[in-house]
Each structure stands twice: as structure tokens, then as C-alpha cells.
Amino acid sequence: RGTHQRGPFRLQSCMPMSRSATAEPENVASAMEVASAGAPPTRSPWRILAPPVQDLDYLPPDDVVDQDLQCCVCLGWPEDPVVLGCPGGHMLCRRCVTGQLCPLDRQPFARLSAPQRPILTLLGRLRVRCPEAVRGCQWTGPRSNLQEHRAMCPHAEHECAHCGLRLRPSDRG
């Protein structure tokens, strides 16, 4: 059986798979690197369980969604925004796109494209509270920094990519 090691403790958890058998998810917490004594650090099997952007607590004045930028399906700030290739060029969350008809004008679209960089920058600057505020986290900051914060947040839940074990860093000690 494999062990997960973090600091002075070890967690018995799973049979590690070879690197070629598993693809490292993008959201693996690099701050949660695993290292054995004398060995070089390796990527941790722990990945962050992040809530959808729509579930985030936005801070004033960003708690009011700009009607020109809102997703026309969920009416929130767009998560992973895409622009439809319909005549109106509407922007929505990638997960709100279903089928090949625009939900606003009911016109077919053949492609999805990324929004312009200034729009992505604006969305990244929106001020949010850490989703773990209910557990005591005091962090607030730009939405674009949230994933980096969650990698180090002692209140955020992480999941082992090998066995599915779920823990918070504060529970590992």
C-alpha cells in the first residue's frame, strides 16, 4: 500500500498508480508536495475540491452582477466564459451551453470562442471570499487568485487522486 506523507505524518491510503497510468489534474495543489527524507519533492496526489464560481461569495461592489457581462442562462458572473458564434455573439458559462442553439436568440451556432482578454481580466479582478469562510478562513481577494489560495488554505477540502480519500490539511495532523 502506498502512503501519503505531509510533514511529519503519514496517511495510509492507496496503491499508487504509475505516472503513465494517471494524468495529473491541473488543479493539483502544488503547495501540498509530497517528499520523503532525502528524496527530491514530487507532485502531490492531493487535488483541491473547488466549488463552482456561481457558488462564490462576491464582495461589494462585485456582489451585484453587471447585466452586460452576466451569463444569460444562470444570470451569474460567467464561469469559464465562452462566446457563441450566433448572430448576437452572446457570452455564457461553458457549462450553461447545451445543444447547438443560442438560448437567447434561438439561432444556431457552429463555434465557441474565448471572450476578449479585457473581459477575462475584469472577471479575474472580481473580489471574492474564500468558500471556506464558514469554517474560519478570513481570505478575500481577486477571483483569479482563488485557486492559488485554496491550494494553501487549511480549511479547503482536498481529495487523493489515487484513492478518493477526502481531507482538509487541518485534519491531517
Side-chain angles (χ1 to χ4, degrees):
R1 292 204 126 215
T3 60
H4 295 296
Q5 182 177 341
R6 169 104 169 105
F9 19 72
R10 291 174 183 245
L11 295 172
Q12 295 293 328
S13 63
C14 63
M15 191 64 108
M17 295 184 229
S18 71
R19 254 200 178 320
S20 60
T22 60
E24 290 282 351
E26 286 182 25
N27 62 347
V28 171
S30 59
M32 307 284 287
E33 289 188 345
V34 178
S36 26
T42 59
R43 297 252 2 221
S44 169
W46 294 100
R47 60 181 160 211
I48 306 161
L49 297 177
V53 175
Q54 277 83 3
D55 295 340
L56 293 177
D57 184 14
Y58 289 88
L59 302 173
D62 300 329
D63 56 337
V64 178
V65 181
D66 184 327
Q67 290 183 350
D68 293 330
L69 293 175
Q70 75 181 4
C71 171
C72 57
V73 174
C74 68
L75 305 178
W77 290 112
E79 174 187 0
D80 191 13
V82 293
V83 177
L84 303 182
C86 64
H90 298 111
M91 181 174 67
L92 15 142
C93 303
R94 184 176 302 273
R95 74 178 187 172
C96 291
V97 176
T98 58
Q100 293 296 312
L101 291 179
C102 172
L104 257 77
D105 58 24
R106 295 301 206 198
Q107 296 296 311
F109 63 91
R111 63 177 165 61
L112 299 174
S113 58
Q116 294 179 357
R117 185 172 294 152
I119 292 174
L120 294 174
T121 301
L122 181 97
L123 293 172
R125 288 182 183 159
L126 297 172
R127 306 277 305 163
V128 297
R129 188 178 324 278
C130 177
E132 306 304 328
V134 296
R135 290 181 181 80
C137 183
Q138 300 295 312
W139 183 87
T140 61
R143 184 171 101 169
S144 61
N145 293 356
L146 181 62
Q147 187 172 355
E148 179 183 332
H149 161 71
R150 287 186 52 82
M152 297 177 286
C153 179
H155 305 284
E157 190 172 45
H158 295 75
E159 178 180 56
C160 174
H162 301 300
C163 69
L165 177 68
R166 292 181 175 197
L167 287 174
R168 288 177 171 48
S170 58
D171 295 341
R172 296 187 203 173

